Every structure is written in C-alpha cells, then in structure tokens.
Amino acid sequence: MDPIRLDRHLVRKWIKRGVGSIACIILVFILIDHLFPFNPPSDYSQVITARDGTILHVFLNREDKWRIRAELEEISPELKKTILKKEDKFFYFHFGINPVAIFRAMVQNAVKGERISGASTVTMQLARLIDPKPRTYRNKLTEMFRAVQLEWHFSKNEILQMYLSRLPYGGNIEGVKTASLAYYDQLPQALSLAQIVTLSIIPNNPAAFLYAADDQDLMDARNHWLDFFDRKGLFNRQMIRDAKEEPLGLERHPMPRYIPHLARRLHQENPGVDVLQTFIDSELQSRTETITWNHVKTMRGKGIRNASVIIVENRTGSVISYLGSADFNDAGSYGQVDGVISVRSPGSTLKSYLYALAIDKGLITPATVLSDVPGNFGGYQPENYDGVYRGLISAKNALALSLNIPAVNLMDELNEDYFITRLEKAGFQTISKKQNELGLSLILGGCGVTLEELTNLFYTFARQGVYCPVRYYQGQPGHGCDTLISAPATYMVTEMMTSLKRPDFPVKAEQIIDLPRIAWKTGTSYGRRDAWSIGYNPDFTVGVWIGNFEGTGVPELNGTDFAAPLLFKIFRILDEKKEHAWFPVPAELKTRDVCARSGLPPGSFCTDIIEDEYIPGISPSHLCQHLLSVFVDTDSSMSFCRSCLPISGYRKKYYPNYPPEVIAYMNDQGLPHESIPHHNPSCERVFYDNAPKITSLTDNAEYILFRNENQKLKLACQVENDVGKIYWYVNNKFLSASGIHEALFFEPPQGEVKISCLDDKGRNTDLWIQVKFI
C-alpha cells in the first residue's frame, strides 16, 4: 500500500477518534452536569439606593455577611486589570482550567518538593468561594469540574462579576464593592491605584493583613505588587510612584444605614432583590431630617417627642423623602416605630375629601350656606372643636374653620356608606377592614388611617382628582389609577384650603419671608394624641404627623401649632427647588352670581349678591329661598295659606326661612329672630311636608333607668318657623302640649314605648324606644 495513502488513512482515523473522544467527553460532561448541577446562590446583601444611585442602606445577607453585588460597570479599568494580572492573566482565553498553568505548577512543586505555585484560575477560585472545601486532590478535581460548569453556563463577564462580589476581606466582609465601602468609605470606581492594589492583596490572606499588629506587612506587600506592575508596564510610572507614596489609609467604616424605616419596609416587602433604587432625594432627605429633628427638640419640653414626614413629587408620584420618626435610635421615644405606616386617628383631615364628594354629588358649592348648630344624629351628638356655634356659615368658611357640625351634617346627607366606599377606593385599608364598625364619627377622626394614606389622598387633589398609589422604587409594580373626584370639585376644595385667613394658619408662619402658596389641612385627634398637617402645591405633596408613638395625649397638642409650622418649613425648602404656577382652572368649572344668604341663584328679594363657582348640570340650581313669602293679617298676628286666605284684610310679608335646627338653637339660646305668626286655627288644610324632628330621643334606642328614682326622659324637637305649638303623645295617649321653646319631661313605662310629636299644622313624627328599669 502506498505509504502516503496509509498516513492519510491513519490521520483520518485518529481525527475521527479524537473527535469521537471529545464528543464523548462533552456528552459525559453534559450528563454529569445535568445530574450534579452547580447553581451559584444569588445571596447578596440587599442594597437600597437613592434616586442618583447613592447607597443609603445595606442589609446583611442570609449568612449574616456583608456581600454587595458588584456590577462590572462599577469596577474601574485599573481595578479589573490589577485583579486579572495578579490572579489570572489568561482569564479570557481558557475554559475554566488553564492546562499550561497546571503543568507548570506540577513541575515546580515536584522539583521543590513542596507547594510553591498554584494553578487556580479565577473561575476555579470562584467555585471554591461558592462551595468551600478542604484542600485535597479530590476536592481540587471537583473544583476544576465546577469551574468548567461555570464556564458552560455563564459568560466571562458574569463569572468575573461573581468573583469580584465574593472575594474575602476578613470577618463577614465579602466582595470588592463591600470592601471599598467598609475600608475606604467610597465606591470602587472612586478608588485610587494604591487603594486598588491594597484591595487586590487582602483576599490572599485577610487574617494576616487585617489583624496584624501594624500595617507594615500590608504596606510592603502593596508596594511589592506596585513594583511588579511597574516592571510589567501595566500602569504609568508616575501613577506607580504616586501610589507608593500614598498612606495605607485602611479604616473600618460602618455600612450605610440611612432612611432606616423605609429601608426596613422595602427589605421586608422585596426579599431576594439585590438592589432597590428608590426615588429618595439624598439632599432633601438630609435637610428634612435636620429640620424635623430641630422642630421636635422645641416640643420635647411639652412632652411631644416624635414626628413623621413624607414628601411626594407630584409629577411622578415618587416619594422623594421619607422620615418614619425624628430619631430611629431614640429607643426611649420608640424611634424605631415607622410613623408613616402607623395607624392613627386622622382628626379632621378627611373633611376635605368629604366636601369634594359633596360638590360632585350636587349638594354644595363653596358659597352654599350650611347649618352650624348642635344636633342629635341617632344618639351621636358632636361638638365643634372650639365650642362655638355660628348658626349659618358658608361651606368654604366651614371647611376653612374645620367645623365639626357642618361636616357631620354633610356626611349624613351624603350617606356614610358612600363615603366609606370612596375612602376604600382611595386606599384606606384600615377603614376598609373595619367599615362595619364605622359611623358618622369617622369624619371627625373616629377611624384609623396612616400618614401614607392621607398624603396619598392629598396627592390625589394635586393630580386634579385622579388617585394613583405613590411609588417608592424603580420597577415597583403599579396598581392602576382611578378618578375619585372631578377636576372642578378638586379645584374648588383646593381654593378653600389655600386661604391664609383661617384659625389653623400657624402664627409663626407669618414671619416666614416668601411664604410658599399651598393648599393644606390640619387635624387633631381625640385626646390630643395626634397632630396632622397635609399640604400640596402643583409640584409637591407633604404629609406631617406629630405626637407620641405610645399614644400619650398632650393637652397643648394640635395640628395648627405643632404640625403646620413644620409643614411650612418643609415647603419653604421645597420652594427653592421649583418655580411653579398654580393649578389651572378646569374648563368645566364656571362662575355665577348667588345670594350670600344661601349660596343659591338669587331670587327677586335677594340683595346681597356674591360670585360663586359651580359645575353646570350638577351644582344646586334652584332659586334662593332664604326668605319665605307669607300671607298675614294686617297686624301680623296670624298667617294664612291659600286654602284659608280671606277675601280682604291680609298682606304679603317676608320672613327668614331658617332650617328647623337653627330655629331650635336660637330658641334654646334666647337669640331674637322673627317668627312666622301662628297659622289660622280655622284652616282645614292638612299639611304633610316638614314634620317635626324629635331630637331628644333616638329611634330604636334602649334607655336604662334606675327603678324607684323617678327618672324622666326629655322631649324636645325641631320645627319649621311657622309652628307655634307642639302636642306630645306616649303610646298613642295624649301627654301634654308645649310651646316650641319649651322642654317637656315625662316618666316612661317599661318596655317598648311609642313617642309621637304633632305640630299645630297636623304634621306628625313617631319613634320607638325601649325602656328598662334596673
């Protein structure tokens, strides 16, 4: 046979065998890889960053180690070159194992009779860092196989990233980025060459370098490697010279622990996420903390020890400042409690939302006149904060003065179930959970809310009525937006809350130069445990809570004097960041002339005319009836209706048309007012509308009295201005007649009792009570 043909045949044969062997090796590797997979755990310390990437807070990982993930773009070219030149200069050319290095190490170690040279690649070192084992030949083979697995499943850059994030730096510090923060208090990209070389050396023997009696060994090692890099031409000679002259400067720094309340919250809600980039503005956060701390210091003498603040950027819905307490480390004041999400009583802060919904329901406009007199709402008898009742007041002034009675009246008319439903849509979770336990008192603070929820509600006003949950970090799942209030209603309430002539305007704020224009609402909870002030302008929404986390009440505490001043201080620094226009007037909002006595379009007798905003087709449109036209006899001692109007001897006269509750209040207080004369007793007409309202007893209520003590129940009612006499019945038996100014008392029988109230026009009201003697 031709020798040449034979050689070609052998070559082809050996090639086939070689390819077959390689294929078999690969198949065996794939099989073993499948049977014994190597999945490096992503167990990094969670890092919370600011909007600009500044690290604000770092958490230990599950192994209680500081191990911060280092991204390659954070690693400077100098650091990358140093590590690879020192540890594995052929990193980008091998498949996890460097056969040349292995052969060289075997020869050198055999010649010297001891281990003087290693052959571990960066990938092999990573395999050992992920799954550390004693140094044996068997474990070395396992390490080599794991290195090949890593190369099979990950790119070179991914391997380098994992390696740089796991390098040991003594104690529980792992990774270049962690060490850079821990020892130099800066990020890797800001390290000098001397610092870079120092950090490349420590992982070889952390205990020897970091816990030595002095730093000389580490300094010598650093300079040795700098000389080596100089010989290899890795860096500019002047850089090397400067690096050798630089002090070691190695010092242990604490890990960043800023925004502790928000950081802990996000950490609990997002386990396993390496980096959470918040929208926190680091500079603003620092200034907010300082202002709040100084503000709280001025209140400590009065027993008020804490405050919480949240600031929302309206354009994006991002929370740019978050302060859970004045001092997280103040254990005596429960500083670790997060006041932003703690459930507290809101005081009067929900009234703004109530007024906006009432506008959208067509119940009121800013000029609508409301009753402000004591009342009985099914046994609930609220009072105004200042104990003063104004009789009649416009909706605008009632909200500005934060009056309780008009708010409860309005909520009763709006329907409390509807209001609770709208609060649910606005994200009030505690109210949603306890809605079956709530009543009219919730508008005065008889419910639980958080500062976050209240601020989100007022942020909705800043968004012209569109509710969107505020956002804390990049990539946060959205929950959709919902229109809660119309743009016109939002604008009207915003204007109501912008007035500076109101009792909740802080006196000291008048001294602030260039006072920012904001809409705001204050609130004080029952027992003076919580003081609130929430405000907004087109750019920002700010929520402030003041109080004590343990719930201790303070007699002086109120939203006006304690929360509002801090709100204005914060807006003052926010105003430096923006030059904002005010909210635009919605196209659907119109203006009209109304009577100041009612807030309704003027009738022929109206003389006090003012301008008011309204929503066409929704706002009340019937004519003013603040005066009532009545037929009376010549000396105004008797009134007539058209059914009993005489042929002559009468005239038309206008009388104030007060609501029954206002008439009752004026009568109780002895306030003079002009009443309609008694109706013609000979009139045979039966009246049905505007029957008396029994105010002294509650329908279907149970009254418990002491036996043999002759205890009595009071009978009182509210009637129209043209009523002169009332007739009372108990269990359908006549009890007594009384004037509208008189209060009547009676001893009830035990069991179910029917109470009937009949006025002199034949209009009747009934209610039932249960009486029990003990």
Side-chain angles (χ1 to χ4, degrees):
M1 184 178 292
D2 187 348
I4 296 177
R5 291 183 62 191
L6 180 61
D7 288 345
R8 288 176 178 174
H9 175 73
L10 289 173
V11 169
R12 285 196 297 269
K13 182 178 179 180
W14 281 105
I15 290 175
K16 288 180 180 180
R17 286 182 178 179
V19 171
S21 298
I22 293 173
C24 287
I25 292 172
I26 293 174
L27 288 173
V28 170
F29 171 78
I30 292 174
L31 177 61
I32 298 175
D33 179 64
H34 179 73
L35 295 175
F36 303 97
F38 189 42
N39 299 314
S42 179
D43 190 14
Y44 295 107
S45 294
Q46 188 176 74
V47 176
I48 310 295
T49 71
R51 169 181 279 176
D52 60 2
T54 303
I55 295 179
L56 296 176
H57 205 104
V58 182
F59 291 92
L60 290 164
N61 70 359
R62 288 189 294 270
E63 300 172 2
D64 288 334
K65 294 181 178 180
W66 300 110
R67 182 191 294 157
I68 302 174
R69 179 186 176 96
E71 301 296 344
L72 286 184
E73 56 266 24
E74 297 179 301
I75 305 301
S76 66
E78 292 79 10
L79 178 55
K80 186 176 178 182
K81 284 196 298 184
T82 300
I83 292 290
L84 292 182
K85 185 68 175 179
K86 179 176 175 295
E87 299 294 335
D88 189 356
K89 61 183 178 182
F90 297 110
F91 173 71
Y92 285 104
F93 303 100
H94 60 66
F95 55 92
I97 302 170
N98 187 341
V100 176
I102 292 174
F103 179 76
R104 185 198 67 235
M106 290 175 62
V107 171
Q108 290 178 345
N109 293 342
V111 171
K112 296 294 184 179
E114 60 179 337
R115 184 180 182 278
I116 63 169
S117 177
S120 292
T121 63
V122 161
T123 315
M124 291 170 64
Q125 292 180 49
L126 175 59
R128 185 166 63 249
L129 290 171
I130 292 172
D131 187 17
K133 286 182 170 56
R135 290 177 179 256
T136 65
Y137 287 110
R138 178 179 178 181
N139 289 340
K140 176 61 73 172
L141 292 173
T142 301
E143 181 183 303
M144 293 167 68
F145 179 76
R146 293 303 194 193
V148 177
Q149 283 183 296
L150 287 170
E151 296 278 350
W152 182 265
H153 290 285
F154 298 96
S155 69
K156 286 290 186 180
N157 283 342
E158 289 173 327
I159 291 171
L160 185 58
Q161 179 271 317
M162 288 189 283
Y163 175 73
L164 293 175
S165 300
R166 289 178 176 271
L167 285 172
Y169 283 93
N172 63 345
I173 298 175
E174 292 187 0
V176 168
K177 186 173 181 178
T178 314
S180 180
L181 288 169
Y183 296 126
Y184 293 115
D185 196 26
Q186 55 189 351
L187 294 174
Q189 55 265 45
L191 294 173
S192 68
L193 180 59
Q195 294 169 335
I196 286 171
V197 175
T198 302
L199 292 185
S200 73
I201 299 168
I202 293 175
N204 297 129
N205 197 344
F209 287 130
L210 295 175
Y211 304 116
D214 56 50
D215 296 332
Q216 192 58 47
D217 288 345
L218 184 56
M219 179 78 81
D220 292 343
R222 183 199 72 178
N223 292 340
H224 166 78
W225 280 103
L226 284 169
D227 289 337
F228 173 78
F229 295 143
D230 186 21
R231 292 193 300 272
K232 297 297 182 180
L234 195 65
F235 300 110
N236 177 281
R237 179 155 293 179
Q238 185 60 46
M239 288 178 61
I240 297 289
R241 190 178 296 114
D242 293 342
K244 291 179 69 175
E245 294 177 359
E246 185 177 319
L248 197 61
L250 206 66
E251 182 182 349
R252 183 68 168 87
H253 298 273
M255 286 289 129
R257 309 288 279 180
Y258 304 111
I259 57 165
H261 297 94
L262 178 59
R264 289 200 309 177
R265 176 180 173 183
L266 296 182
H267 181 62
Q268 293 169 359
E269 295 174 354
N270 300 272
V273 179
D274 296 338
V275 179
L276 281 172
Q277 184 175 8
T278 70
F279 302 107
I280 295 296
D281 181 322
S282 300
E283 179 189 357
L284 175 63
Q285 178 71 22
S286 178
R287 295 184 69 180
T288 302
E289 290 175 1
T290 301
I291 289 172
T292 304
W293 170 243
N294 290 333
H295 186 75
V296 169
K297 279 199 302 184
T298 65
M299 303 185 298
R300 286 185 174 268
K302 295 182 174 64
I304 305 167
R305 302 189 300 277
N306 244 307
S308 301
V309 177
I310 182 172
I311 304 176
V312 179
E313 183 182 63
N314 295 337
R315 181 178 58 84
T316 62
S318 306
V319 175
I320 57 176
S321 184
Y322 187 111
L323 188 62
S325 70
D327 184 359
F328 182 83
N329 296 315
D330 184 0
S333 298
Y334 302 92
Q336 295 188 8
V337 174
D338 188 349
V340 174
I341 57 175
S342 297
V343 177
R344 318 288 298 188
S345 166
S348 299
T349 53
L350 294 177
K351 290 175 182 174
S352 304
Y353 191 36
L354 172 69
Y355 277 71
L357 293 175
I359 290 172
D360 272 338
K361 279 289 186 179
L363 301 180
I364 61 170
T365 64
T368 299
V369 174
L370 306 175
S371 297
D372 178 33
V373 295
N376 187 326
F377 300 86
Y380 176 51
Q381 300 180 16
E383 299 177 349
N384 280 337
Y385 179 80
D386 58 4
V388 178
Y389 302 95
R390 293 152 182 85
L392 296 172
I393 189 169
S394 70
K396 178 179 180 178
N397 289 336
L399 179 59
L401 296 173
S402 195
L403 300 180
N404 293 340
I405 301 300
V408 175
N409 268 314
L410 201 55
M411 184 167 167
D412 190 38
E413 188 176 1
L414 182 68
N415 184 292
E416 62 195 68
D417 291 334
Y418 173 76
F419 186 56
I420 291 171
T421 299
R422 302 306 294 181
L423 286 170
E424 283 186 274
K425 287 185 174 294
F428 287 85
Q429 297 182 10
T430 303
I431 289 177
S432 177
K433 293 175 183 176
K434 297 187 176 183
Q435 57 182 290
N436 295 330
E437 305 172 18
L438 302 175
L440 292 174
S441 63
L442 86 82
I443 195 57
L444 306 185
C447 57
V449 304
T450 67
L451 178 60
E452 177 185 62
E453 292 169 343
L454 278 178
T455 306
N456 212 145
L457 176 64
F458 282 77
Y459 163 58
T460 300
F461 278 95
R463 286 180 53 88
Q464 300 184 57
V466 178
Y467 168 80
C468 293
V470 296
R471 301 188 306 141
Y472 290 99
Y473 58 92
Q474 298 279 0
Q476 182 175 345
H479 299 285
C481 299
D482 188 14
T483 300
L484 300 182
I485 322 165
S486 72
T490 303
Y491 183 85
M492 283 189 265
V493 172
T494 295
E495 290 299 294
M496 293 183 199
M497 293 191 293
T498 305
S499 171
L500 299 180
K501 296 179 179 180
R502 45 197 266 200
D504 64 344
F505 182 71
V507 175
K508 292 183 179 179
E510 295 175 351
Q511 302 169 7
I512 299 177
I513 301 174
D514 298 328
L515 188 69
R517 184 184 184 189
I518 62 171
W520 87 98
K521 182 75 183 74
T522 61
T524 307
S525 69
Y526 180 77
R528 296 180 182 262
R529 296 179 175 89
D530 310 276
W532 305 86
S533 190
I534 321 290
Y536 60 94
N537 62 21
D539 298 309
F540 303 102
T541 301
V542 179
V544 172
W545 171 87
I546 300 285
N548 296 313
F549 286 132
E550 69 272 25
T552 304
V554 178
E556 296 91 346
L557 183 64
N558 62 74
T560 301
D561 297 326
F562 293 91
L566 179 56
L567 179 79
F568 276 90
K569 290 176 184 177
I570 292 172
F571 266 108
R572 184 68 186 85
I573 63 172
L574 288 172
D575 212 42
E576 298 171 1
K577 293 178 171 287
K578 293 280 185 178
E579 292 184 5
H580 54 76
W582 195 241
F583 296 98
V585 180
E588 310 95 314
L589 185 66
K590 306 298 180 183
T591 59
R592 66 183 180 186
D593 289 338
V594 296
C595 176
R597 301 296 183 88
S598 65
L600 293 169
S604 59
F605 46 76
C606 297
T607 56
D608 190 0
I609 308 301
I610 60 174
E611 188 176 75
D612 186 28
E613 297 164 327
Y614 76 109
I615 307 175
I618 294 177
S619 298
S621 58
H622 54 278
L623 295 180
C624 172
Q625 296 180 337
H626 84 274
L627 294 179
L628 191 62
S629 173
V630 180
F631 293 108
V632 297
D633 56 14
T634 53
D635 59 357
S636 300
S637 61
M638 183 184 300
S639 63
F640 306 99
C641 65
R642 292 194 178 276
S643 298
C644 63
L645 191 64
I647 298 175
S648 60
Y650 69 89
R651 62 191 177 92
K652 183 189 289 187
K653 184 177 180 180
Y654 287 103
Y655 288 88
N657 189 18
Y658 297 121
E661 64 271 17
V662 174
I663 296 173
Y665 177 72
M666 290 191 292
N667 289 335
D668 288 342
Q669 298 298 312
L671 300 175
H673 65 95
E674 191 173 14
S675 298
I676 298 174
H678 296 170
H679 193 67
N680 179 11
S682 303
C683 181
E684 297 180 354
R685 177 186 171 188
V686 178
F687 294 84
Y688 297 99
D689 297 332
N690 304 319
K693 178 182 178 182
I694 301 174
T695 58
S696 57
L697 299 172
T698 302
D699 196 21
N700 295 317
E702 182 180 43
Y703 292 84
I704 300 176
L705 307 177
F706 291 101
R707 196 182 304 275
N708 301 322
E709 290 195 11
N710 299 320
Q711 289 184 298
K712 297 181 180 182
L713 296 180
K714 179 181 177 180
L715 295 177
C717 66
Q718 295 174 353
V719 295
E720 293 291 307
N721 198 18
D722 58 351
V723 174
K725 190 171 286 292
I726 296 296
Y727 304 91
W728 293 96
Y729 294 79
V730 176
N731 289 335
N732 297 321
K733 293 182 179 179
F734 178 69
L735 176 66
S736 178
S738 67
I740 60 173
H741 301 176
E742 299 177 36
L744 188 66
F745 294 85
F746 79 107
E747 293 184 26
Q750 181 160 314
E752 185 177 65
V753 180
K754 177 183 178 183
I755 308 295
S756 301
C757 180
L758 181 72
D759 67 17
D760 55 11
K761 289 191 174 182
R763 296 172 293 200
N764 181 72
T765 298
D766 297 324
L767 62 75
W768 284 260
I769 61 173
Q770 288 286 338
V771 177
K772 182 179 179 181
F773 288 97
I774 58 174

